């Protein structure tokens, strides 16, 4: 076994309140692309960068265009959990993992079977009528055309945190408290570039800070263990 994986295994073995904090890289192994990685194909299809199309002001001013983009680029309802999601479920069942904090909105942690999940940026699986607050699922959104409407006439808005919008304070507080109490913080599949989510690392007080990412992050110098690789491949080697 790789010596870094061995170190990771030892840290997991001696921990009982692990918090996993994950980003887009956790879902790419399930075939969900990171929308921030703008490719040529994308640029041919849309007039604006994703940060604009997924902003609150764009939603308000170009609602129909927002939903065209949203249905095509944000809804991957056939995606299945990968090795990373499954290993985190195992750790939760074994009483070693306290919570998953995720920046992803695809619901794959819950689909895999995780219970304690803080979705910082919301979820595509919850969509509410802005008028009567009726709940709609992601399949309804995918099947809709134009601007999705409730039978009451209200527009249905995904429970997803758009650019320019604040995080849900209750979710954020829950994530902060879990990280403060954690005896190990495992961060995977994120470049820790998106604030305020990235600043959550600062609430961790322990000495088992692990970073697992394909590229470097601004927190590398603070990590007790750093592993460069795909999160699913790395976690899949734990027993
Ligand atoms: Zn309604």
């Amino acid at each position: 076994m790789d010596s870094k994986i061995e170190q990771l295994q030892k840290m997991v073995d001696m921990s009982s309140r692990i918090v996993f904090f994950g980003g887009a890289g956790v879902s790419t192994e399930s075939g969900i692309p990171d929308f921030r990685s703008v490719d040529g194909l994308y640029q041919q299809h849309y007039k604006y960068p994703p940060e604009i199309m997924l902003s609150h002001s764009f939603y308000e001013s170009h609602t129909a265009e927002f939903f065209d983009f949203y249905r095509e680029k944000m809804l991957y309802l056939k995606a299945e959990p990968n090795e990373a999601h499954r290993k985190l479920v195992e750790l939760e069942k074994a009483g070693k993992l306290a919570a998953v904090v995720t920046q992803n909105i695809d619901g794959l942690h819950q689909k895999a079977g995780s219970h304690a999940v803080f979705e910082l940026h919301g979820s595509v699986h919850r969509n509410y009528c802005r008028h009567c607050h009726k709940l709609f699922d992601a399949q309804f959104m995918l099947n809709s055309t134009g601007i999705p409407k409730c039978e009451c006439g209200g527009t249905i808005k995904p429970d997803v945190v758009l650019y320019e919008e604040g995080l849900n304070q209750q979710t954020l507080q829950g994530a902060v408290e879990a990280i403060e109490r954690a005896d190990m913080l495992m961060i995977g599949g994120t470049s820790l570039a998106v604030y305020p989510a990235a600043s959550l690392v600062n609430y961790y007080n322990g000495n088992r800070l692990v970073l697992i990412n394909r590229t470097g992050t601004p927190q590398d110098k603070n990590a007790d263990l750093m592993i460069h690789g795909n999160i699913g491949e790395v976690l899949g080697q734990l027993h």
Side-chain angles (χ1 to χ4, degrees):
M1 206 190 235
D2 187 289
S3 73
K4 288 209 166 188
I5 302 289
E6 256 173 58
Q7 261 179 282
L8 178 63
Q9 183 71 59
K10 274 185 196 145
M11 286 179 167
V12 167
D13 289 345
M14 64 176 78
S15 303
S16 57
R17 294 187 310 281
I18 301 169
V19 169
F20 178 82
F21 177 34
V26 176
S27 293
T28 48
E29 287 167 72
S30 290
I32 300 180
D34 181 355
F35 65 81
R36 286 184 204 86
S37 59
V38 174
D39 56 24
L41 188 71
Y42 169 87
Q43 282 172 326
Q44 288 167 16
H45 280 76
Y46 296 98
K47 282 180 279 181
Y48 310 93
E51 286 79 1
I52 298 293
M53 299 196 83
L54 294 171
S55 68
H56 183 81
S57 48
F58 192 85
Y59 169 84
E60 294 290 351
S61 62
H62 298 69
T63 312
E65 264 177 288
F66 167 88
F67 279 110
D68 286 344
F69 177 79
Y70 181 79
R71 277 185 290 258
E72 190 180 342
K73 292 289 177 185
M74 306 304 285
L75 295 177
Y76 291 89
L77 305 186
K78 289 187 179 130
E80 292 296 333
N82 62 55
E83 199 55 44
H85 300 103
R86 286 192 288 273
K87 186 57 71 174
L88 293 168
V89 173
E90 273 178 40
L91 290 171
E92 186 183 54
K93 278 186 183 153
K96 300 190 74 64
L97 183 122
V100 170
V101 178
T102 182
Q103 295 172 289
N104 298 335
I105 56 174
D106 49 50
L108 286 180
H109 287 291
Q110 289 93 333
K111 194 170 184 181
S114 284
H115 294 288
V117 183
F118 295 101
E119 297 173 306
L120 294 176
H121 295 163
S123 171
V124 299
H125 297 285
R126 296 184 299 269
N127 305 274
Y128 295 102
C129 170
R130 295 185 94 183
H131 181 65
C132 75
H133 308 294
K134 185 179 172 184
L135 173 68
F136 294 84
D137 65 15
Q139 193 64 50
F140 180 92
M141 301 302 276
L142 188 62
N143 295 345
S144 67
T145 53
I147 299 172
K149 295 281 185 188
C150 175
E151 53 265 32
C152 84
T155 298
I156 304 166
K157 187 171 185 280
D159 186 13
V160 165
V161 180
L162 301 177
Y163 287 96
E164 306 162 356
E165 293 178 343
L167 301 191
N168 177 294
Q169 285 306 304
Q170 212 179 330
T171 307
L172 183 60
Q173 191 56 34
V176 164
E177 284 169 13
I179 291 171
E180 279 175 338
R181 285 195 299 262
D183 55 5
M184 175 171 176
L185 180 61
M186 227 191 306
I187 301 175
T190 171
S191 56
L192 289 171
V194 183
Y195 281 83
S199 60
L200 280 173
V201 184
N202 301 329
Y203 290 96
Y204 177 61
N205 301 304
N207 58 0
R208 292 196 283 276
L209 175 63
V210 181
L211 292 181
I212 306 166
N213 201 43
R214 291 174 59 172
T215 57
T217 82
Q219 289 286 342
D220 284 5
K221 58 187 184 303
N222 302 323
D224 299 297
L225 175 63
M226 204 171 62
I227 303 177
H228 286 306
N230 292 333
I231 183 74
E233 281 173 26
V234 171
L235 293 189
Q237 292 178 68
L238 296 175
H239 54 68

